[in-house]
Amino acid sequence: QKEVEQNSGPLSVPEGAIASLNCTYSDRVSQSFFWYRQYSGKSPELIMSIYSNGDKEDGRFTAQLNKASQYVSLLIRDSQPSDSATYLCAVRPGGVGQNFVFGPGTRLSVLP
Amino acid sequence: DVKVTQSSRYLVKRTGEKVFLECVQDMDHENMFWYRQDPGLGLRLIYFSYDVKMKEKGDIPEGYSVSREKKERFSLILESASTNQTSMYLCASSPQKGAIVGYTFGSGTRLTVV
């Protein structure tokens, strides 16, 4: 069974620090990777996607992908209290028509 | 931007009632999905559809059915609601099968069965 794993947290960081969220996946031929942010009581919101090995930056967010290690991470620089949320990692496995596999999410708390 | 609209934000139903949850997307997406989300269990796929009149079972289809008569609308039906179906229900859509873009979620329906 294809799996995506994340530390459930909570991960607590002080305001202004870098938050590092990690995700590992089991399907070696996965091609597409996504990070969603979900505030309490709200629906998931797509914040980053990454398809190639290396780093992808978007504002304060950086996604990092290492396919050899089957590892994807999300860095949040200059963390703000408004970043406090659950972050879901989603992986699209290899093969045609494969649905996303979601991780359980990591709860991030940014302390003022 | 793609908009996925779920008809109800909060819903309270009685045990045994037939419940309809509606989802409409406005960007001509082929794929639509129904998930439920419960604390500690994450997102679980109930049903999905890659085309009109097409439906496939997800990981937890028992007690549910779906209908997709039009491309933009995907309905989730609880045939006889039970208390263990109390949950947050999330609809999502994405472009054609095989596309590598992310899913877009609706705002969710929090269903309570009493």
Side-chain angles (χ1 to χ4, degrees):
Chain A
Q1 184 168 347
K2 294 162 184 172
E3 294 183 342
V4 175
E5 296 185 349
Q6 300 177 253
N7 289 327
S8 61
L11 172 66
S12 295
V13 300
E15 184 174 355
I18 295 175
S20 178
L21 304 163
N22 303 317
C23 172
T24 59
Y25 59 95
S26 63
D27 183 50
R28 187 169 292 278
V29 297
S30 295
Q31 295 296 319
S32 314
F33 308 87
F34 305 87
W35 283 100
Y36 286 82
R37 178 177 61 201
Q38 186 175 23
Y39 292 115
S40 180
K42 304 294 186 182
S43 63
E45 171 194 12
L46 180 65
I47 56 172
M48 289 287 286
S49 59
I50 187 166
Y51 310 112
S52 304
N53 277 330
D55 294 0
K56 178 182 177 183
E57 189 174 315
D58 184 0
R60 295 187 296 112
F61 298 100
T62 299
Q64 299 176 317
L65 175 61
N66 184 326
K67 290 185 179 180
S69 300
Q70 295 175 234
Y71 176 94
V72 58
S73 65
L74 178 70
L75 301 179
I76 307 175
R77 289 183 302 281
D78 189 25
S79 295
Q80 301 296 309
S82 59
D83 295 324
S84 297
T86 297
Y87 290 81
L88 304 175
C89 174
V91 175
R92 183 176 178 275
V96 176
Q98 293 288 330
N99 295 328
F100 285 13
V101 180
F102 286 88
T106 297
R107 189 155 59 91
L108 172 67
S109 178
V110 180
L111 307 174
Chain B
D1 282 350
V2 176
K3 192 169 181 182
V4 179
T5 302
Q6 293 185 232
S7 53
S8 303
R9 188 75 180 92
Y10 298 95
L11 213 51
V12 179
K13 295 293 183 180
R14 295 194 179 278
T15 301
E17 276 193 79
K18 191 169 186 176
V19 181
F20 293 86
L21 302 183
E22 304 289 344
C23 176
V24 177
Q25 50 91 8
D26 66 359
M27 281 298 287
D28 203 34
H29 278 181
E30 305 283 344
N31 307 332
M32 297 188 76
F33 308 86
W34 275 107
Y35 288 88
R36 64 177 284 178
Q37 188 176 35
D38 303 285
L41 296 177
L43 282 166
R44 292 183 290 169
L45 182 61
I46 305 171
Y47 267 95
F48 61 97
S49 169
Y50 289 154
D51 201 352
V52 178
K53 307 239 185 233
M54 178 269 183
K55 59 186 178 184
E56 292 281 351
K57 293 179 180 179
D59 300 319
I60 52 162
E62 296 79 18
Y64 304 94
S65 62
V66 290
S67 172
R68 193 164 181 203
E69 296 295 318
K70 294 185 178 182
K71 189 175 186 179
E72 67 270 19
R73 185 181 297 270
F74 192 37
S75 303
L76 179 70
I77 303 156
L78 286 66
E79 298 290 344
S80 177
S82 64
T83 54
N84 63 13
Q85 292 179 309
T86 292
S87 186
M88 169 72 98
Y89 288 88
L90 292 160
C91 176
S93 74
S94 72
Q96 71 276 9
K97 189 174 175 179
I100 56 171
V101 298
Y103 295 175
T104 300
F105 284 89
S107 56
T109 295
R110 184 163 294 282
L111 172 68
T112 302
V113 182
V114 298

